[in-house]
Amino acid sequence: MSSTTSRQVFERRFSSAAIGEVAAEHTSAHTARGVDGIGFDNFNAHLAGNIELIFRKANSGNYKFSPYREKLILKGADSKPRRISIPTIRDRVVLRCLNNFLCEIFADCKPPHAHPIVSAAIRTFENATDADSFVKLDVKSFYDCIDHKILEAQVRKRVKHEAAVSLIVSAIKTPTGVKATDGKFNQIGVPQGLSISNVLASIYMQNFDNEFKSKLGISYHRYVDDILIRTPSNEASVFAELASKRLKRSRKLTVHPLGSGKSEIIPHNKTLSYLGYSFLGKSVSVREASVKRMMTSLMRIIGGINDNNVEKSIWRLNIRISGCRIDGGNIGWLFYFSQINDRKVLKRLDRQVQSRLASIGRPELYSRCKTFIKAHREIKHNHDATDYVFDFDKFDRDGMLNAIYLIKPDSAGKLGNRTDEQIKSIFFKTMYREAREMERDTLGSFS
């Protein structure tokens, strides 16, 4: 792409109109605050000034990001927490504009969701024979180890406009969890949780991905740090070593050693786990660790049932089982695992809910619970028309109030005089808290 073209794309993506559109579409009352503590209302009250500042400083190459606020997400007792970087609302708008720019310039690097990767892996497994094996490689601390010089060189292959390069470099060098006065900068790695994180990671890995996708006789899949290669069994160790060496030499990335449990060679006739799924023969199921994580979530809710919170507990059980739709997106464990064909694991979860309710002396509550079997069938075969899944985007004012009062009993009867917009804001804040808990159930599937 020529210098003129990349500059034109950048200036279009960072025009006042484009910045305003991003601010309208990607900020709201439930947008997290950054280190400056400025919330949506304050940002929106000075929207024109914020847009003008972003436009002027981004296009001149002088925009500076505030340090990112640190948030740690626990992945389990045996894993380090995932470190998420939370930008200020103004920086969030800049990063989204930058993401739009990068996705246009590097259209072939736009990061896919996990679902199409899983679908492709399923097809690969179905087409494999007993003469095949699977090489599974897990990259150590993937985002934290991305080399800035290599990434910048990849970006500069298509981006010749210096203001754009300067903004990208500034975004990845901005530190997380420090004060601006500390004068520290990030020397390696791409902060996780930013709207540009995934596309930058894809750009970084593009040459490696293309090399292995083009090799004859194998199938190659990668989702972030999880690599899966189908290869003839007699060549599996060769490809495992080749991939490991290429990652180290060309990308300065290290994989967990073979046999560590994270990286391994698995014959076609043995159980293979990938991205939380489990494959064996014609069975596509859920790996045991992901099942146990969901069970733990359900048992925690059931164990807390008492006479004062029955309705709330049933509601929370049902949303964990069926998942929900919010802001146009599908969230939940079953939405992620909708591609399984193993009904036994779903029946097992349903029996576990029934058994646990009986063990606390409340067997009659099971008839009010949704079931994994039905929810999976509805999501897979009646996705657009089903009313079995909570669709928060379709709740009217009364529905929103009833849900708020159920989750927050202390607010019952106190919100009747609020405006529709105020009710909607409170409702979505409340539902997003529940959705974040469900996301943790799903995120654990990748660990």
Side-chain angles (χ1 to χ4, degrees):
M1 184 166 285
S2 69
S3 174
T4 303
T5 304
S6 65
R7 178 173 186 148
Q8 288 176 339
V9 173
F10 185 82
E11 290 177 348
R12 173 161 47 81
R13 291 296 184 176
F14 279 89
S15 67
S16 295
I19 296 167
E21 287 177 10
V22 166
E25 292 177 9
H26 295 282
T27 64
S28 66
H30 53 255
T31 300
R33 302 177 186 223
V35 294
D36 61 1
I38 293 176
F40 170 74
D41 290 340
N42 190 319
F43 174 82
N44 215 36
H46 303 89
L47 183 60
N50 282 313
I51 290 174
E52 191 279 330
L53 185 149
I54 293 170
F55 169 78
R56 175 167 44 86
K57 292 198 171 185
N59 282 285
S60 66
N62 294 318
Y63 189 89
K64 301 299 180 187
F65 295 90
S66 299
Y68 304 125
R69 181 165 66 84
E70 181 182 62
K71 180 179 180 181
L72 299 177
I73 297 180
L74 299 178
K75 299 196 295 180
D78 300 326
S79 303
K80 291 182 180 180
R82 182 179 283 112
R83 191 187 196 203
I84 301 298
S85 300
I86 300 177
T88 65
I89 294 182
R90 187 172 67 199
D91 287 350
R92 186 183 296 268
V93 172
V94 175
L95 291 164
R96 178 58 64 175
C97 292
L98 189 55
N99 175 73
N100 293 343
F101 165 76
L102 286 168
C103 286
E104 183 170 346
I105 298 295
F106 292 91
D108 51 342
C109 290
K110 191 173 180 179
H113 295 292
H115 258 259
I117 304 296
V118 171
S119 298
I122 290 172
R123 290 193 296 272
T124 294
F125 195 83
E126 289 174 343
N127 293 329
T129 70
D130 286 343
D132 292 324
S133 287
F134 290 85
V135 176
K136 201 170 84 166
L137 301 176
D138 187 283
V139 181
K140 292 181 179 179
S141 304
F142 175 62
Y143 282 100
D144 294 340
C145 293
I146 290 177
D147 183 272
H148 288 184
K149 289 184 179 180
I150 295 174
L151 177 58
E152 184 178 341
Q154 283 290 107
V155 168
R156 285 185 178 277
K157 288 179 179 179
R158 299 189 193 179
V159 180
K160 309 301 181 183
H161 185 42
E162 284 302 319
V165 175
S166 173
L167 194 60
I168 295 166
V169 171
S170 178
I172 63 176
K173 288 195 175 295
T174 298
T176 299
V178 304
K179 296 179 181 178
T181 54
D182 290 345
K184 294 181 179 179
F185 293 95
N186 191 30
Q187 300 300 327
I188 189 171
V190 169
Q192 295 187 58
L194 307 181
S195 55
I196 62 170
S197 300
N198 290 342
V199 67
L200 287 178
S202 290
I203 292 168
Y204 189 75
M205 292 292 290
Q206 184 181 32
N207 290 354
F208 179 87
D209 290 340
N210 288 344
E211 176 185 346
F212 277 83
K213 285 178 181 176
S214 65
K215 290 187 180 297
L216 297 175
I218 72 167
S219 301
Y220 170 86
H221 310 282
R222 182 183 65 82
Y223 183 74
V224 190
D225 56 355
D226 289 310
I227 295 171
L228 183 69
I229 302 172
R230 194 275 311 157
T231 174
S233 295
N234 60 354
E235 298 179 356
S237 59
V238 175
F239 277 105
E241 183 179 6
L242 176 63
S244 299
K245 285 184 176 180
R246 290 288 292 132
L247 284 169
K248 185 70 174 178
R249 185 169 62 251
S250 69
R251 289 297 174 263
K252 296 186 178 181
L253 297 173
T254 304
V255 302
H256 289 275
L258 291 175
S260 63
K262 296 205 169 194
S263 295
E264 52 191 333
I265 296 175
I266 305 162
H268 177 249
N269 60 359
K270 300 292 184 182
T271 300
L272 166 70
S273 295
Y274 186 60
L275 300 182
Y277 278 74
S278 176
F279 306 93
L280 179 62
K282 296 187 179 298
S283 172
V284 180
S285 189
V286 184
R287 74 169 184 171
E288 186 60 22
S290 304
V291 176
K292 287 182 177 178
R293 190 177 181 92
M294 171 50 73
M295 282 186 177
T296 299
S297 178
L298 297 171
M299 296 307 107
R300 189 183 302 119
I301 296 171
I302 295 173
I305 292 177
N306 58 54
D307 290 340
N308 297 319
N309 68 2
V310 171
E311 297 301 320
K312 177 179 177 179
S313 297
I314 293 297
W315 187 90
R316 295 188 72 218
L317 274 175
N318 283 336
I319 197 172
R320 288 299 185 288
I321 292 168
S322 72
C324 70
R325 295 192 178 106
I326 186 168
D327 268 0
N330 299 319
I331 297 176
W333 193 85
L334 261 185
F335 274 110
Y336 180 72
F337 289 111
S338 61
Q339 299 188 71
I340 68 170
N341 59 23
D342 179 14
R343 292 169 57 86
K344 291 179 182 178
V345 70
L346 303 176
K347 292 178 180 178
R348 175 183 161 199
L349 285 164
D350 286 333
R351 287 196 304 269
Q352 192 74 17
V353 172
Q354 185 177 26
S355 174
R356 184 68 175 123
L357 286 170
S359 73
I360 65 166
R362 303 303 301 263
E364 77 283 0
L365 296 181
Y366 183 67
S367 63
R368 299 175 56 191
C369 292
K370 295 180 185 289
T371 66
F372 283 91
I373 281 287
K374 183 172 181 180
H376 178 258
R377 183 173 64 247
E378 289 293 305
I379 289 170
K380 194 164 186 175
H381 301 293
N382 193 26
H383 182 276
D384 295 329
T386 184
D387 58 2
Y388 197 69
V389 174
F390 291 92
D391 191 341
F392 295 138
D393 296 338
K394 293 182 178 179
F395 276 41
D396 59 15
R397 179 187 173 92
D398 287 341
M400 291 182 188
L401 282 172
N402 289 336
I404 294 168
Y405 294 157
L406 183 64
I407 301 304
K408 303 169 70 174
D410 291 345
S411 65
K414 299 178 182 178
L415 303 176
N417 294 327
R418 299 291 184 95
T419 65
D420 288 350
E421 280 304 309
Q422 288 173 326
I423 295 298
K424 185 176 181 180
S425 175
I426 296 169
F427 172 74
F428 276 98
K429 281 182 180 178
T430 305
M431 296 307 111
Y432 262 99
R433 279 195 289 272
E434 293 294 322
R436 279 194 291 271
E437 287 192 32
M438 289 195 296
E439 281 189 321
R440 283 195 285 273
D441 294 334
T442 304
L443 283 171
S445 302
F446 297 86
S447 312

